[in-house]
Amino acid sequence: MSYHNNQNFQKNPELDDESASNSFTSLFNGGKSIQVFFAQFLEWFQALPKLGKIIGLIIIPIFIIKILEAVVSLVSLLITIGVFGVVIYLGYRFLIPLNYSEKDK
């Protein structure tokens, strides 16, 4: 026996099923595009001959590592430029006006 009565549960009029589903679909569109890319990649990889698969298993990880290395180097460069810029600004801000005020005296 079921003790629950479906009539006791009313739908909240403020919540719209379409708006909730739209927000979830927009959230997971990125994941679906990755899944589509992965499926296409797998299909392409399976169509390769045996020697191509072996070469692909050697070259593709190296390629991915090189891309990640380039991204890390770029981020490191941007951080270095940012720190250098802050040091230059602080040096200008605190040292240059002091020199000019000493010359005026």
Side-chain angles (χ1 to χ4, degrees):
M1 283 183 76
S2 175
Y3 294 106
H4 299 287
N5 187 355
N6 288 337
Q7 293 174 353
N8 291 337
F9 297 103
Q10 296 177 356
K11 187 175 179 179
N12 189 348
E14 295 176 4
L15 294 177
D16 185 16
D17 287 338
E18 291 179 16
S19 66
S21 65
N22 286 339
S23 64
F24 287 124
T25 23
S26 65
L27 180 65
F28 292 113
N29 277 343
K32 286 184 181 181
S33 65
I34 292 173
Q35 289 174 349
V36 168
F37 173 76
F38 185 69
Q40 289 174 348
F41 176 77
L42 226 75
E43 184 179 321
W44 169 79
F45 188 77
Q46 289 173 349
L48 289 175
K50 193 170 192 173
L51 181 63
K53 288 180 184 178
I54 293 171
I55 293 172
L57 287 175
I58 294 170
I59 292 179
I60 290 172
I62 293 172
F63 184 69
I64 291 172
I65 289 170
K66 289 295 180 181
I67 289 175
L68 290 175
E69 182 181 326
V71 168
V72 168
S73 295
L74 181 63
V75 169
S76 173
L77 177 66
L78 291 174
I79 290 171
T80 303
I81 290 173
V83 168
F84 186 67
V86 168
V87 168
I88 294 291
Y89 174 74
L90 291 175
Y92 169 76
R93 182 79 177 141
F94 292 115
L95 296 177
I96 300 296
L98 292 176
N99 291 338
Y100 284 125
S101 63
E102 290 175 3
K103 286 181 182 180
D104 291 338
K105 291 182 182 179

